[in-house]
Amino acid sequence: MPELLLIEPQTIMTDTILSGNVDIDKLLPIIKETQLKTVEELLGSELYDKIKELKEAGTLADDYLTLVNDYIKPILINQTVANYILISPYTVGNGGFFKRTYNGVETTDYKEVERVSQIYSSTAQMYINRFNKWIIANPLVEYKTYQEEVNAITNINLNNGWYFGDK
């Protein structure tokens, strides 16, 4: 069964610097990967599965709807863009691994690409920090830091560099 997306690719293109001509086939795997590597890690499997179940049934409401709209979607949008920016210039095809360039246009230095990606990753981190405060004030039964599958992680850090934990 294909992974249920918590956000549509068009929303990402509308709310960020990604243009409307971004190849959806390149963006979809990044959305799925970000859901699994960031959102499921943040929520833990039980709450993540509950949200997917409610979304699929069209019954997201109350605290679950608030959680998705105010925290999960902004995290997913911003971290997907951060991840996409880092890999978007590269393609693997029958000819091998290559970086796309255009005639007459200077290619972007990787440090500059990293800097733009970091802007979106920092925004996602901000929403993760806000989520952590929200989940304490609005405990949901499915949110568990210990469970059989993926445990909810309370100190996810998406930013590069030094990390000294939450204050």
Side-chain angles (χ1 to χ4, degrees):
M1 180 163 114
E3 184 71 20
L4 175 73
L5 296 179
L6 298 176
I7 193 157
E8 296 302 317
Q10 191 57 45
T11 303
I12 294 173
M13 289 182 265
T14 301
D15 293 352
T16 67
I17 65 169
L18 293 186
S19 69
N21 67 351
V22 166
D23 185 354
I24 298 295
D25 290 337
K26 280 185 88 172
L27 187 58
L28 284 174
I30 306 301
I31 296 170
K32 292 175 190 175
E33 176 186 303
T34 304
Q35 274 188 203
L36 294 175
K37 289 173 73 176
T38 303
V39 175
E40 185 176 14
E41 290 286 323
L42 179 66
L43 302 178
S45 292
E46 286 186 39
L47 181 53
Y48 179 73
D49 291 342
K50 176 72 172 185
I51 287 171
K52 286 189 340 183
E53 174 189 313
L54 293 171
K55 180 170 173 37
E56 192 167 47
T59 57
L60 265 176
D62 304 323
D63 284 342
Y64 297 101
L65 184 61
T66 299
L67 174 60
V68 169
N69 287 338
D70 294 353
Y71 302 96
I72 300 309
K73 283 184 179 181
I75 292 166
L76 194 50
I77 288 169
N78 288 287
Q79 193 57 40
T80 297
V81 171
N83 294 342
Y84 182 79
I85 286 170
L86 290 175
I87 67 152
S88 65
Y90 303 100
T91 302
V92 178
N94 289 336
F97 183 79
F98 60 94
K99 181 178 178 180
R100 213 173 312 132
T101 61
Y102 297 96
N103 292 334
V105 176
E106 184 179 318
T107 59
T108 306
D109 177 72
Y110 188 75
K111 292 259 186 224
E112 189 174 352
V113 170
E114 258 185 329
R115 193 170 62 244
V116 174
S117 171
Q118 188 61 37
I119 291 167
Y120 282 94
S121 194
S122 293
T123 303
Q125 185 68 52
M126 175 193 68
Y127 281 102
I128 286 173
N129 295 342
R130 289 179 181 180
F131 159 79
N132 284 326
K133 290 176 186 173
W134 182 87
I135 198 71
I136 290 168
N138 302 280
L140 298 172
V141 183
E142 299 85 4
Y143 182 74
K144 299 174 184 164
T145 56
Y146 181 77
Q147 54 198 305
E148 287 185 24
E149 292 182 32
V150 177
N151 294 327
I153 298 175
T154 59
N155 62 352
I156 288 179
N157 180 32
L158 302 173
N159 298 319
N160 294 326
W162 294 97
Y163 179 66
F164 299 104
D166 297 330
K167 292 183 179 182

